[in-house]
Amino acid sequence: MFAQINEGIKVIDGWVWGLPLIVLILVTGIYLTCRLGLLQIRHLPRALRYMVKNEEGGEGEVTSFGALCTALSATIGTGNIAGVATALVTGGPGALFWMWLAAFFGMATKYAEGLLAVYYRTVDEDGHALGGPFYYIERGMGRKWKWLACLFAFFGMCVGLFGIGTFTQVNSIATAVTNLFDPNAAHTVSLFGNDYSYATIVAGVLLTICVALVLLGGIRRIASVSQVVVPFMAVLYIVFCLVLLIYNYKSIPGALAQIIEGAFNPAAVTGGAVGSLTVAMQKGIARGIFSNEAGLGSAPIAAAAAQTNEPVRQGLVSMTGTFIDTIIICTMTGLTIVITGAWNVPGLDGALVTSYAFDNGLPFLPGWVTSGVLMLCLVFFAFTTILGWDYYGERCLEYLSGGSHRSIQVYRWLYILAVFIGPYMTIEAVWNIADIFNGLMALPNLIALLSLSGVIVRETRSYFDRLCSGDLNEQSRRAMNK
């Protein structure tokens, strides 16, 4: 019976994340890019400056950089290491090109999400800034669409508690730690009818304690931890990738040629062994969307808490998240895999592909060093994803429950419990369920982005007109004062 249920879940997952949803997300990004006049190119330098320069006198709970790091903590995850590898193994090197394309148009989508999050946000009785797709659906599209906002909130809460936020990330951490310290499972104990390494148990307990200490502090503590951990883990991973690329710099032009040719003629690169044009497109775009979450509606929940009076400014800051996640980090991973040929090694998939690339691309380093760095990155990536998705889940439940503090506390403790039992879960079905809810989250959000595109364009023009005239100090319509 369980086998049949799992097969049914796989079928639903394949349907939800099929070509129609991928096309809808991509078309939304193209449409917004056209209406905004290639904003992600023209204003990327400004967005990067805003990312590290806080707005003076901005209203909100955390800095714009803190809000960005909270969002990045949920988007930069194991998918940046394992997800890219899976796309290249299945679709060939050309999948990375389609990942770039999805990220380019996704930057416009993420900009629109960040703008609307601040424009339509509200403040509760305790002074907390609340926003996200459920608020800009209800307040922007009208109360008759509240049912659509509730659907988004329900799907988002389920993703956080039952899938991406807990079981899958915890299992990734426990597996990475165990593979480094006890790869042969020499020291085990029997629990729940199975044998588990002591390393798995210790990793699970320590992780639960660390997660509890952060989550019980709320958004400010999540943001403060993310502001330290996210830049550190991103820089550490990027540095090692850069060292590998510099050491193998002569192979970069050939790798880029493989990626471009493989995007349109995969058989010429793979020899027909893996991939096709359709598969390369589907895997690259799907993994790109899954990695940076542009269009899914998760990041604007964090963006709404930013200390800013300018929706456009936060939209630009939010846009940099897609740039950092996919254009920089996923590209680094993809190039290391293509250069070393790890994508074409039989029997490897997921993080093992990236591990092979590190080991073979940095031959002057001992294997334990490259394995240790990769484990550390996996641990940090997964840990911050746990933190980010708890915040998303709490905000979704807060909307559904009308701000019930008791519901939030119960959810938080259930979340911590899910982290505790995560290392002992069978995660295949959980991953598929998480994928389903993640895809279902996107549908209400995309409808709202398309419906409110006029607001996005109007606010964007107003902001840059005031910027050119030097009139940005004057108060204008702001979500906090609505």
Side-chain angles (χ1 to χ4, degrees):
M1 182 179 69
F2 288 108
Q4 292 177 341
I5 292 175
N6 286 338
E7 286 301 316
I9 292 173
K10 287 181 182 179
V11 171
I12 297 173
D13 183 29
W15 180 79
V16 171
W17 274 103
L19 196 58
L21 177 59
I22 293 173
V23 169
L24 179 60
I25 294 176
L26 196 58
V27 166
T28 301
I30 294 173
Y31 176 72
L32 291 171
T33 296
C34 294
R35 292 210 63 182
L36 294 169
L38 294 174
L39 175 139
Q40 62 266 56
I41 294 178
R42 295 186 296 114
H43 295 294
L44 180 60
R46 182 183 303 279
L48 293 173
R49 291 198 302 271
Y50 285 171
M51 181 182 72
V52 295
K53 183 180 180 181
N54 296 322
E55 179 181 337
E56 295 182 5
E59 297 182 41
E61 292 191 77
V62 297
T63 64
S64 291
F65 183 66
L68 173 66
C69 287
T70 301
L72 282 175
S73 71
T75 54
I76 298 180
T78 54
N80 294 82
I81 295 176
V84 176
T86 301
L88 295 181
V89 168
T90 307
L96 187 59
F97 173 86
W98 298 108
M99 195 175 292
W100 292 338
L101 190 70
F104 174 74
F105 293 116
M107 289 173 69
T109 305
K110 189 67 74 74
Y111 164 80
E113 292 176 322
L115 184 155
L116 292 176
V118 174
Y119 187 80
Y120 286 109
R121 69 183 174 181
T122 185
V123 180
D124 66 8
E125 297 175 353
D126 297 326
H128 297 307
L130 306 175
F134 25 77
Y135 285 100
Y136 56 70
I137 289 174
E138 179 182 347
R139 305 185 77 198
M141 297 174 64
R143 289 192 61 82
K144 65 180 179 180
W145 292 97
K146 185 177 175 67
W147 64 270
L148 193 65
C150 290
L151 276 181
F152 174 88
F154 174 75
F155 293 142
M157 183 184 66
C158 291
V159 171
L161 187 58
F162 298 125
I164 292 176
T166 54
F167 299 139
T168 53
Q169 304 300 327
V170 176
N171 193 277
S172 296
I173 291 177
T175 300
V177 172
T178 302
N179 286 343
L180 181 65
F181 293 104
D182 190 16
N184 299 318
H187 309 285
T188 63
V189 63
S190 181
L191 290 174
F192 313 115
N194 292 305
D195 291 332
Y196 296 96
S197 170
Y198 286 125
T200 300
I201 297 172
V202 172
V205 172
L206 291 178
L207 178 63
T208 302
I209 294 173
C210 292
V211 168
L213 290 175
V214 176
L215 296 189
L216 295 177
I219 177 59
R220 287 186 175 86
R221 188 173 297 174
I222 292 174
S224 63
V225 171
S226 298
Q227 285 182 151
V228 175
V229 175
V230 170
F232 169 74
M233 71 177 183
V235 169
L236 175 66
Y237 187 70
I238 289 172
V239 165
F240 266 77
C241 286
L242 279 176
V243 171
L244 189 152
L245 294 175
I246 293 172
Y247 183 79
N248 298 276
Y249 73 95
K250 293 182 180 179
S251 301
I252 293 179
L256 292 174
Q258 279 187 290
I259 292 168
I260 301 300
E261 185 175 7
F264 302 98
N265 187 15
V269 176
T270 66
V274 299
S276 65
L277 179 58
T278 303
V279 173
M281 288 180 62
Q282 186 176 13
K283 294 300 180 183
I285 293 173
R287 290 299 177 183
I289 293 168
F290 193 84
S291 173
N292 57 56
E293 298 182 9
L296 298 188
S298 52
I301 300 175
Q307 292 172 348
T308 180
N309 294 323
E310 296 289 350
V312 170
R313 181 187 177 102
Q314 186 55 38
L316 291 171
V317 173
S318 296
M319 184 179 76
T320 63
T322 300
F323 180 78
I324 293 170
D325 179 273
T326 305
I327 303 298
I328 295 179
I329 297 180
C330 286
T331 296
M332 294 280 189
T333 302
L335 282 176
T336 61
I337 291 172
V338 175
I339 285 174
T340 58
W343 64 274
N344 204 26
V345 177
L348 296 182
D349 197 5
L352 293 177
V353 176
T354 312
S355 180
Y356 177 93
F358 270 51
D359 290 341
N360 289 269
L362 298 169
F364 54 88
L365 290 178
W368 64 268
V369 173
T370 54
S371 297
V373 169
L374 192 61
M375 181 219 60
L376 193 62
C377 291
L378 274 169
V379 168
F380 278 131
F381 282 11
F383 177 70
T384 53
T385 300
I386 292 170
L387 302 182
W389 270 101
D390 170 77
Y391 178 69
Y392 292 162
E394 287 186 16
R395 297 289 76 78
C396 289
L397 178 59
E398 187 172 46
Y399 180 81
L400 288 174
S401 66
S404 169
H405 293 288
R406 181 178 295 274
S407 297
I408 299 300
Q409 289 297 325
V410 171
Y411 180 89
R412 196 171 291 175
W413 282 107
L414 287 175
Y415 199 91
I416 293 170
L417 177 63
V419 171
F420 178 73
I421 65 177
Y424 317 109
M425 296 289 292
T426 301
I427 66 167
E428 181 181 5
V430 174
W431 262 110
N432 289 330
I433 292 172
D435 283 348
I436 292 170
F437 283 124
N438 217 1
L440 292 174
M441 278 178 63
L443 293 174
N445 184 56
L446 294 172
I447 292 171
L449 292 178
L450 294 172
S451 299
L452 299 172
S453 60
V455 176
I456 298 166
V457 173
R458 185 183 69 238
E459 284 298 304
T460 302
R461 289 175 179 170
S462 172
Y463 178 83
F464 287 109
D465 286 346
R466 288 183 290 116
L467 185 66
C468 291
S469 64
D471 196 30
L472 272 181
N473 290 327
E474 293 187 5
Q475 290 295 323
S476 59
R477 291 173 300 168
R478 290 295 169 259
M480 281 296 212
N481 299 320
K482 290 186 176 184

